[in-house]
Amino acid sequence: MNLVRAAVAENRLNDRDRAIVREQYKEQSIDWVHLVRIDPKALDLDEFQIDLYDRRITVKKRDRPPSLDSIPNLWSGRAIQASDPLGWDPGTLRDVRLYRQDDGGVRGSIYIDDIVYALRPLSDGVHALIRQDLSRLHSDQDDVRIRPVPVKPRKAISPEPSSSTQNPAQMEMIRIAVGYTAAAVGGGPLEAMFVEIEDAIKKANESFAANNIAMRLELAAWADSAGYIERSDGAAIATTLAALAEGPDGALWLPHAARDGERADLLAMIVGAQGDTICGQANQVGSSKETALFVFKRGCLFSHTLTHEVGHLLGADHQPGSALDPPVFVYGHGFQRLPEPGIAGWSTLMATDCPPQRCPRQNFWSSPLREHEGETAGTAAAHDNARVLSENKARVAAFHPPPDGASRKRDTNSLPRYARASANSNSRAFIIASNPSMSAMGRHAR
């Protein structure tokens, strides 16, 4: 059975869907968009084919590790090509994640090295199949706003790597509030953007589990910052982060209000930023509560940008040569496996790409305790970002502790809340609601 059933002509689209398709091409890493109808019954099978237009693949279902939560309606598997070497382990570079929606639509992503095919439902059963080349997202521009040289660089206490498997630790929940701009929504359904960010957070949690790091991210709140106008000159990410760093008295006061109201440890903004050459920017490597801010580009979510910027805030940095020198943590660097004849290159979450060669990003952290394709994914002396996260997660999780006696995590059936400024533009009053339609749960003022 093939998931893709038939092609659809663009003239069959309504005006809104046509605008959504045009919006995709504003991102320079998008190769093409094809319109298709799909057969959701394929997701009832453990194995099926997908016609991706430039290749046909077979996908096989995989069981999720017991350490990960079950996710309703998620079909999780791996893509297989006829040219794949026998016994080759692609790591996360063949991941397939497909979500079946209640209306019969299917949303998800298919990774083939540093190419990702995204499937997005439109109207009337039509889907957009989008090919994105993640290698074109590479930029030499630094993705950290503040890089002061530490007065006294921190040293490794011992040469031995730390691991939650060696030293079982308390599971730490780090909560994130996310503000969004109108350019990030891009004229499409608001819920579609929410789903993409929620999936990025699930992938981040999978990366922690892959390294036995006892921490999780939880989405605490959304903040509607549609009134904030992004720059369109290639500086949207940097200027948005600068505005966010102005704090609760600045132009982006509402995300700060949402963060404080929902007691989130980290604060982020998602932007459209089609003209920017970077995917995101963190405020600081090893942040304080006040500097625990980052901005990320919606078009880069499939490149694990959200996870990467969170790593910076906890103290993790790029590979040596692209990181702070002297480093915040001498062992806190990402790891690159440069390609050789017959051996594909790859990198861990905090390492950058390796042009003109290609080192696609795997969804795990550098660590001498982690292996991939028979090789260690780090060193105890210089490449152990898993250790950095394990040692700093409790500090960051305490940025916004719950009230005395309260549980840090709401019950598992609760959802992040939504903040929107009130209609009176002369005040800083805002509404907190339980859903995007903004059925008010309470009105507040700063």
Side-chain angles (χ1 to χ4, degrees):
M1 178 177 284
N2 200 312
L3 178 67
V4 175
R5 186 159 55 87
V8 177
E10 186 173 348
N11 60 14
R12 301 290 300 273
L13 297 182
N14 59 38
D15 290 343
R16 186 190 189 197
D17 287 348
R18 195 173 292 113
I20 291 173
V21 170
R22 285 198 299 266
E23 190 74 18
Q24 304 305 313
Y25 284 108
K26 292 182 180 180
E27 170 54 53
Q28 53 89 20
S29 61
I30 299 298
D31 289 329
W32 46 251
V33 180
H34 285 294
L35 303 173
V36 299
R37 294 191 183 278
I38 57 95
D39 187 349
K41 292 181 179 178
L43 301 188
D44 295 331
L45 305 176
D46 290 340
E47 180 177 332
F48 54 88
Q49 291 186 316
I50 307 178
D51 185 353
L52 298 173
Y53 281 84
D54 56 359
R55 68 184 89 198
R56 177 174 287 193
I57 61 170
T58 298
V59 296
K60 290 186 177 181
K61 192 172 187 177
R62 291 183 302 173
D63 292 331
R64 289 173 59 78
S67 59
L68 298 175
D69 294 338
S70 61
I71 301 175
N73 302 321
L74 170 63
W75 192 99
S76 178
R78 174 166 289 176
I80 300 170
Q81 297 190 112
S83 59
D84 289 343
L86 185 66
W88 175 59
D89 178 11
T92 60
L93 300 182
R94 288 285 194 278
D95 276 7
V96 179
R97 302 167 66 89
L98 299 170
Y99 294 87
R100 190 200 305 257
Q101 299 187 166
D102 293 340
D103 62 1
V106 175
R107 176 183 302 278
S109 57
I110 302 107
Y111 284 83
I112 306 290
D113 301 328
D114 46 12
I115 302 295
V116 63
Y117 298 85
L119 195 62
R120 292 180 177 167
L122 300 174
S123 303
D124 301 322
V126 177
H127 290 66
L129 178 63
I130 306 163
R131 175 183 154 123
Q132 183 177 20
D133 185 348
L134 300 180
S135 71
R136 299 216 301 269
L137 297 175
H138 171 77
S139 172
D140 292 327
Q141 184 180 347
D142 195 6
D143 70 329
V144 177
R145 177 172 174 262
I146 304 172
R147 278 196 180 273
V149 177
V151 175
K152 184 179 180 181
R154 300 170 189 167
K155 302 294 184 181
I157 297 172
S158 76
E160 295 300 321
S162 64
S163 167
S164 59
T165 57
Q166 296 174 343
N167 302 295
Q170 172 72 29
M171 175 65 73
E172 300 291 349
M173 186 70 69
I174 295 177
R175 288 163 59 81
I176 303 180
V178 180
Y180 55 90
T181 66
V185 180
L190 188 60
E191 292 75 9
M193 183 187 70
F194 291 164
V195 168
E196 291 171 22
I197 297 173
E198 288 165 353
D199 193 49
I201 289 175
K202 291 168 186 172
K203 289 178 183 176
N205 289 334
E206 290 173 8
S207 77
F208 306 140
N211 285 86
N212 298 306
I213 302 168
M215 64 175 282
R216 292 179 63 83
L217 302 182
E218 180 184 60
L219 185 60
W222 301 107
D224 184 347
S225 302
Y228 175 81
I229 306 302
E230 293 182 22
R231 290 263 292 267
S232 58
D233 58 357
I237 290 174
T239 54
T240 301
L241 183 55
L244 198 63
E246 292 175 359
D249 295 324
L252 289 171
W253 62 270
L254 183 61
H256 284 275
R259 179 195 190 190
D260 293 343
E262 295 303 310
R263 309 190 73 81
D265 305 296
L266 309 180
L267 177 58
M269 285 289 297
I270 183 170
V271 293
Q274 282 92 353
D276 284 43
T277 59
I278 58 173
C279 276
Q281 193 172 55
N283 205 31
Q284 190 174 29
V285 176
S287 66
S288 65
K289 176 182 176 181
E290 292 72 27
T291 62
L293 316 170
F294 68 100
V295 175
F296 61 103
K297 180 178 179 178
R298 183 178 179 184
C300 294
L301 279 172
F302 289 125
S303 190
H304 306 291
T305 296
L306 182 146
T307 311
H308 180 97
E309 304 305 340
V310 167
H312 276 316
L313 297 183
L314 270 81
D317 213 340
H318 303 152
Q319 71 276 10
S322 296
L324 187 68
D325 187 16
V328 177
F329 295 95
V330 294
Y331 46 86
H333 298 95
F335 182 82
Q336 283 180 333
R337 191 351 172 153
L338 298 177
E340 298 177 12
I343 302 176
W346 50 271
S347 65
T348 59
L349 278 162
M350 295 307 297
T352 60
D353 204 357
C354 56
Q357 304 178 88
R358 306 182 89 165
C359 300
R361 183 175 285 170
Q362 297 274 6
N363 193 31
F364 52 78
W365 303 85
S366 61
S367 170
L369 303 177
R370 181 73 159 81
E371 286 194 356
H372 179 61
E373 279 285 277
E375 300 183 50
T376 56
T379 64
H383 310 85
D384 195 356
N385 274 328
R387 176 178 183 175
V388 172
L389 268 61
S390 291
E391 293 175 345
N392 285 275
K393 58 189 174 65
R395 179 181 63 84
V396 174
F399 283 168
H400 248 313
D404 291 342
S407 171
R408 176 160 186 79
K409 190 177 187 302
R410 295 193 301 268
D411 68 84
T412 56
N413 293 320
S414 67
L415 298 172
R417 293 178 182 163
Y418 302 82
R420 178 179 295 170
S422 69
N424 183 356
S425 60
N426 294 322
S427 73
R428 290 202 165 182
F430 60 98
I431 299 169
I432 291 288
S434 59
N435 55 70
S437 64
M438 304 308 289
S439 301
M441 294 176 64
R443 297 180 183 274
H444 307 266
R446 291 194 67 87

